[in-house]
Amino acid sequence: GVKGVSKALVKKALESHETADLSEATRQVINRDDHPDALRGLKMDDSSPYTRHRELRESNVPFFLVAGWLDGSARSSINVFWHCARDSGSRLIIGPWTHGGVQNAGLGPKQKSDFSSFHKIMKIGRSKLVAEVVKFFLSLANDCPSSSGGNEGVITYFTMNAPDEIISRWRQTSCWPPSHLEDKVFYFGVDSAASDHRLSLTQVPPQSEAELAFSAEKGQGPHHCNSRFHTMIFVGDLLNYKMGKYRHHVFMDSKPLDCHLEITGTPYLDLWVSSSHPDADIIVYLEDYDPVTGSVNYVTEGAFRARHRKLYPKAECEGHYQSSVPPDIPFYHTFDEADAEPLVPGEPARLVFEMMPTSYCFQRGSCMRLAFSGSDEQHYLHNVQEGTEIKVVSGPGHESLVHLPIKAYY
């Protein structure tokens, strides 16, 4: 601890503060505008800095933002940069890191996680982050807030699992998403080559109707592995997903890729979903599947509660909600109580929601996989009845699909 500070002094200081129990507060929040008892009548937004995005932007203070693709910080850091800081010469660096930059995340076949060079700086005197910090403060000392020579901010980001001969793993951009990417739609369509006519990812709209059925049961999440959420708390445990072991997940694959396929940005899903109960939680994992070896590697994930599905175009977004919407997403949800709407059991409803942003390269010969689950109590607090039967429907008039920001390298 701090020298000269006794335990008695720490205890006295803590007793002088009114400390809110955030863990208990999150358990009491169902809607964004709820007033949990643990926050003494305040809403979650009342203590959230994103509600001050205008003041932050108008201050014109340069920010140095650091995030990891396998932390929870990438989405919020992109939002801060885009909505508050991109015109003040700020810098954002997003690496292949877990929480706090402790680990390099070894996502992809034949890759393993290891501890990052942050822990070795005293020995080797170098790291990507330290180099960028030094560059940033030198530019401020020279009255030139960014390396571009003006007030335009710069994003430096790392693409995981990228082959060195095709893609430079560290790249820079002044816009988000990077300009070399394009939004591509992959539909959920019937795989005519499969004997069970299961759904697959295809760029052709579905001509017949099919469904993917799963349920909300205990034990469905990625247990017995060190997930991105696990390593936020237990920083000394190396990231280690074991997605291939979860046989209860239902999934669909693309055909083996004939190119290297980069995904950088925020994927989002547009689904038609029915449920046996008035609410449902949907967890979707984007995975890298090798059809030769059978290995399955985690890329990113998204989770959504059906009651919050009311959709608004981003152009209508007003007030502090604006800074909570990623720059590469064309919609938003309020998550407010007034917009909450139960499902009609058995009737398909449209759910549009995002996944966590990433930068990852699927290599030639691999397949993109989407895996679905109705529960992951290891990482999410569910408020949905166990045993809820859920179906993702896709067909003419109910086209389920995923939007991916991609670049193909042949």
Side-chain angles (χ1 to χ4, degrees), residues 61-63 88-89 134-146:
V61 173
F63 285 72
S88 61
V134 171
K135 186 188 299 183
F136 176 72
F137 282 103
L138 285 176
S139 72
L140 291 180
N142 294 326
D143 295 323
C144 178
S146 83

Side-chain angles (χ1 to χ4, degrees), residues 361-379:
C361 185
F362 290 84
Q363 297 196 15
R364 185 181 291 110
S366 65
C367 300
M368 295 184 294
R369 169 172 287 185
L370 285 179
F372 294 78
S373 178
S375 175
D376 177 7
E377 77 277 4
Q378 182 80 0
H379 302 115

Side-chain angles (χ1 to χ4, degrees), residues 71 98-103 114-116 119 226-239:
D71 191 4
T98 58
H99 186 60
V102 174
Q103 301 173 33
D114 59 15
F115 290 104
S116 72
H119 298 279
N226 298 337
S227 69
R228 63 192 301 161
F229 306 107
H230 177 93
T231 56
M232 288 182 188
I233 307 299
F234 303 97
V235 295
D237 292 349
L238 287 172
L239 185 85

Side-chain angles (χ1 to χ4, degrees), residues 55-66 80-81 84-92 133 135-147 150-154:
E55 293 93 327
L56 291 170
R57 184 177 65 247
E58 292 170 0
S59 73
N60 206 38
V61 173
F63 285 72
F64 188 89
L65 303 163
V66 181
V80 170
F81 178 88
C84 304
R86 73 180 189 271
D87 296 325
S88 61
S90 297
R91 299 294 302 272
L92 166 60
V133 170
K135 186 188 299 183
F136 176 72
F137 282 103
L138 285 176
S139 72
L140 291 180
N142 294 326
D143 295 323
C144 178
S146 83
S147 62
N151 287 329
E152 186 178 62
V154 175

Side-chain angles (χ1 to χ4, degrees), residues 5-19:
V5 177
S6 65
K7 291 183 178 179
L9 187 59
V10 171
K11 183 179 180 181
K12 184 178 180 181
L14 288 173
E15 290 173 347
S16 69
H17 291 273
E18 290 188 21
T19 304

